[in-house]
Amino acid sequence: MTQKDLKTVAVIGGGLIGASWAALFARAGGYLVRAWDPSEAARESFADRADKAAKQLVQLGYRAEGSVTVVETLAGAVHGVDWVQENAPESVELKTKLYREIEPAAPQGAVIASSTSSLRWSDLSQGLAHPKRFILAHPFNPPHLMPLVELYGQDDEVLARAEIFYRGLDRETVRLKREVAGHLANRLASALWREAVSLVEEGVADVADIDRALVNGPGLRWSIIGAHMAYHLGGGAGGIEHYLQHLGPSQERRWKTLGNPQLTPELCAKLVAGIAEEAAGRSIDDLEKERDAKLMATLRLRTKQ
Amino acid sequence: MTQKDLKTVAVIGGGLIGASWAALFARAGGYLVRAWDPSEAARESFADRADKAAKQLVQLGYRAEGSVTVVETLAGAVHGVDWVQENAPESVELKTKLYREIEPAAPQGAVIASSTSSLRWSDLSQGLAHPKRFILAHPFNPPHLMPLVELYGQDDEVLARAEIFYRGLDRETVRLKREVAGHLANRLASALWREAVSLVEEGVADVADIDRALVNGPGLRWSIIGAHMAYHLGGGAGGIEHYLQHLGPSQERRWKTLGNPQLTPELCAKLVAGIAEEAAGRSIDDLEKERDAKLMATLRLRTKQ
């Protein structure tokens, strides 16, 4: 592949998500990445963060020869690119202001994709001259390791391009049929955590034990089959139909008993103490290293299957 | 090890859970297992089910030389055993009736453990002459592959014995500090599924896409770190304390927007159709085989870590 065939991608917002995307675009996609952040400190530390992610990608077998260049201006980052991945903080005002600067400086054919985890397309697309080419493309953190990318947009052709782009980076894309704050994954995570917090509040089990139950029970299962499919198999030979007929009513009764906690200072203190016990002296950095090592082993296993 | 050192375990209730336990007790623990079920048909087909599970255990490296014998009477199954694992259908009446027969026939030192997923210790222990030796020991299906065993009882010494017993079978035990219907894992699963069902009802995404988001996003993460720990790492350098301070209020707002679906005939039909689409012609048996193969690969990976 010659340099001429390589396409350019702009990464706007150079925190952890931006650096992780940049590494993936360069190492898995072979793209020429131009990264920009309004903060000089973030621009200066960007290469280190991206390098760390790139090393993990190389260990996973991704060795495409793209490149990551940090540039001084937003216009310089998006000039002539095919794709813009925006990773600014979660503020409609801040993001829409950025889009007003991106749009005139980027080619009209470039897709503008926001990594937003919680904001809505209809709010973010306000003020864009060409909203059709704007999409939400929400990764699960860290994007260079986690496969999921949740897509939402209003133009089928642009969404089809997004599927080709992200799948080309070995991501698993899921299209939302209508927009909802938190998309799918963070809503599911939030629903589960509400009950996990309630179990701490109610004194049923310690933070560490709840986490251990999840990792050795439902979490392990959901890394292999989804929640709907799990109940299909839970229905025996009759599948989901049998499950819903026989156990649907008991699920509805269970739903009524699930917790609805308030994050009071007392409950927060319990959660903080519980995490300290679970961490058992390991720093955030130690814990992240452990998580990444296990995650990478699981990803290697998946590519073999 | 001579036959004299091997201990005996009774498996009461010979469905899938019972057969899976029996295989684990024999192959991972080297126990002499005596199994009984009131149904003659279940007794006749028991060996096949247990063999299937035992073969998977052998593939995972469990080659202890225990044995599984199906016996004709309940008294014959529990006579002289060290442990009773009861796996009858989820009915307080049915289970307590069984305990009334088990108790006089089993040694007084034997622990009676119920695999119940939804019933309470205080209901089930009614009528036992020696309730202290009665515990809940809820496995996650299938017990010979899934590591989690949730324990609840009221005697510390018996619970400590249970931890030694199940951990000796490479299970991960979690002790509940107080009883609650559904223990931890099924409550967490139920909370997540409620939102997954709501997302189908609201037309946000198809069944298959919701499952795919889970397996490639939060499910994958929760097979490695728990939900509480995930938010600790989501708080950056400030950990859970920073997370709760800055994002606690937005979690509370999100919780208020989570769905509360009713399993109406229309919604059930949507779920059934969605699963049919996701299964794409694969039978329950095909899907189980796929699940087990992936699960076994993940379990092999864990033992290496």
Side-chain angles (χ1 to χ4, degrees):
Chain A
M1 196 179 270
T2 67
Q3 181 123 339
K4 244 182 102 184
D5 301 305
L6 292 173
K7 294 189 175 175
T8 50
V9 176
V11 167
I12 303 303
L16 272 175
I17 302 289
S20 173
W21 271 131
L24 185 76
F25 295 151
R27 285 299 177 179
Y31 293 99
L32 304 179
V33 181
R34 278 188 247 128
W36 175 82
D37 192 284
S39 141
E40 197 183 327
R43 289 199 301 274
E44 273 172 9
S45 57
F46 187 88
D48 276 352
R49 283 195 296 284
D51 276 352
K52 197 182 146 197
K55 277 193 188 109
Q56 292 179 321
L57 286 168
V58 170
Q59 284 173 44
L60 284 173
Y62 293 104
R63 291 167 192 188
E65 300 202 348
S67 66
V68 178
T69 312
V70 180
V71 299
E72 298 292 310
T73 64
L74 176 59
V78 303
H79 174 76
V81 298
D82 302 290
W83 203 272
V84 178
Q85 187 80 38
E86 168 274 308
N87 320 281
E90 294 289 271
S91 145
V92 173
E93 198 191 336
L94 213 147
K95 283 179 191 275
T96 48
K97 185 173 165 286
L98 273 176
Y99 303 155
R100 278 196 298 272
E101 295 175 43
I102 289 169
E103 218 179 10
Q108 234 196 74
V111 171
I112 302 172
S114 174
S115 299
T116 184
S117 65
S118 61
L119 305 176
R120 281 164 187 266
W121 187 93
S122 18
D123 294 323
L124 293 176
S125 62
Q126 299 285 339
L128 277 165
H130 303 282
K132 279 190 175 179
R133 52 120 155 222
F134 173 70
I135 60 168
L136 310 188
H138 173 242
F140 218 59
N141 192 36
H144 68 290
L145 297 182
M146 296 296 295
L148 179 62
V149 179
E150 297 176 293
L151 299 175
Y152 180 76
Q154 297 207 338
D155 187 280
D156 272 347
E157 208 184 305
V158 172
L159 288 168
R161 275 175 69 191
E163 284 168 349
I164 291 169
F165 178 71
Y166 295 108
R167 287 181 188 166
L169 301 160
D170 278 354
R171 299 305 94 181
E172 284 279 344
T173 58
V174 169
R175 252 197 229 200
L176 272 70
K177 295 192 288 184
R178 66 186 201 71
E179 64 176 343
V180 59
H183 315 308
L184 305 175
N186 278 333
R187 292 184 74 84
L188 295 174
S190 185
L192 181 126
W193 196 48
R194 176 165 64 174
E195 183 60 20
V197 168
S198 169
L199 289 164
V200 173
E201 185 180 40
E202 299 288 326
V204 177
D206 295 325
V207 165
D209 278 346
I210 294 165
D211 275 358
R212 222 150 47 79
L214 181 57
V215 168
N216 292 288
L220 172 57
R221 179 181 283 166
W222 292 327
S223 72
I224 288 161
I225 56 167
H228 291 299
M229 186 53 82
Y231 287 111
H232 183 48
L233 300 185
I240 187 79
E241 215 160 345
H242 183 264
Y243 182 87
L244 287 166
Q245 260 168 31
H246 291 257
L247 294 169
S250 73
Q251 275 283 355
E252 288 187 318
R253 281 194 299 276
R254 168 78 40 84
W255 290 345
K256 289 200 183 96
T257 75
L258 295 175
N260 197 10
Q262 304 298 307
L263 291 168
T264 60
E266 295 72 34
L267 180 51
C268 288
K270 256 181 147 176
L271 292 169
V272 170
I275 283 287
E277 199 191 325
E278 182 175 2
R282 291 169 295 178
S283 68
I284 298 270
D285 196 49
D286 296 337
L287 292 162
E288 272 178 354
K289 273 185 191 141
E290 266 181 51
R291 175 200 64 187
D292 286 358
K294 287 183 183 175
L295 192 47
M296 286 169 67
T298 302
L299 293 171
R300 273 191 211 103
L301 181 67
R302 284 191 178 194
T303 54
K304 276 187 228 153
Q305 280 173 345
Chain B
M1 196 181 268
T2 67
Q3 180 124 339
K4 246 183 102 187
D5 301 306
L6 293 172
K7 294 190 174 174
T8 50
V9 176
V11 167
I12 304 302
L16 272 176
I17 302 288
S20 172
W21 271 131
L24 184 75
F25 295 150
R27 285 297 177 182
Y31 292 99
L32 304 178
V33 181
R34 276 188 249 129
W36 175 81
D37 192 284
S39 141
E40 197 185 325
R43 290 200 300 275
E44 274 174 8
S45 57
F46 187 89
D48 276 352
R49 282 194 297 283
D51 277 352
K52 195 183 149 197
K55 278 195 186 106
Q56 292 178 322
L57 286 167
V58 170
Q59 285 173 43
L60 285 172
Y62 293 104
R63 289 167 194 188
E65 299 202 349
S67 66
V68 178
T69 313
V70 180
V71 298
E72 298 291 311
T73 64
L74 176 58
V78 303
H79 174 75
V81 297
D82 302 288
W83 203 271
V84 178
Q85 187 80 38
E86 167 275 307
N87 322 280
E90 294 289 273
S91 147
V92 173
E93 199 192 336
L94 210 149
K95 284 181 191 275
T96 49
K97 185 173 167 284
L98 273 176
Y99 303 154
R100 278 196 297 274
E101 297 174 41
I102 290 169
E103 218 179 11
Q108 232 194 76
V111 171
I112 303 172
S114 174
S115 299
T116 184
S117 64
S118 61
L119 305 176
R120 283 165 185 267
W121 187 93
S122 19
D123 294 323
L124 293 176
S125 62
Q126 300 284 343
L128 278 165
H130 305 282
K132 279 191 175 178
R133 53 125 153 213
F134 173 69
I135 60 168
L136 310 189
H138 172 243
F140 218 62
N141 193 35
H144 69 291
L145 297 181
M146 295 296 294
L148 179 63
V149 179
E150 296 176 293
L151 299 175
Y152 180 77
Q154 298 207 336
D155 187 278
D156 273 347
E157 207 183 305
V158 172
L159 288 167
R161 276 175 69 191
E163 284 168 350
I164 292 169
F165 177 71
Y166 294 109
R167 287 182 188 166
L169 302 161
D170 279 355
R171 298 306 93 182
E172 285 278 344
T173 58
V174 169
R175 251 197 229 198
L176 272 70
K177 296 192 287 183
R178 65 186 201 72
E179 62 177 346
V180 58
H183 316 307
L184 306 174
N186 278 334
R187 291 184 76 83
L188 296 174
S190 185
L192 181 125
W193 196 48
R194 176 166 62 177
E195 184 59 21
V197 167
S198 168
L199 288 164
V200 173
E201 185 180 41
E202 299 290 326
V204 177
D206 295 326
V207 164
D209 279 344
I210 294 165
D211 275 357
R212 222 150 47 82
L214 181 57
V215 168
N216 292 288
L220 172 57
R221 177 181 286 166
W222 293 327
S223 72
I224 288 160
I225 55 167
H228 291 299
M229 185 55 81
Y231 287 112
H232 183 46
L233 299 185
I240 187 81
E241 217 159 345
H242 184 264
Y243 182 87
L244 288 166
Q245 261 168 30
H246 292 257
L247 294 169
S250 73
Q251 274 283 356
E252 288 187 317
R253 280 195 298 276
R254 169 76 42 84
W255 290 345
K256 290 201 183 95
T257 74
L258 295 176
N260 197 11
Q262 304 298 306
L263 290 168
T264 60
E266 293 71 34
L267 181 50
C268 287
K270 253 181 149 176
L271 292 168
V272 169
I275 283 286
E277 198 191 327
E278 182 175 3
R282 292 169 294 177
S283 69
I284 298 270
D285 196 50
D286 295 337
L287 292 162
E288 274 178 353
K289 273 185 191 140
E290 263 180 52
R291 175 198 66 187
D292 286 357
K294 287 183 182 174
L295 192 48
M296 286 169 66
T298 302
L299 292 170
R300 273 192 210 101
L301 181 67
R302 286 191 177 193
T303 56
K304 275 187 232 156
Q305 280 173 345

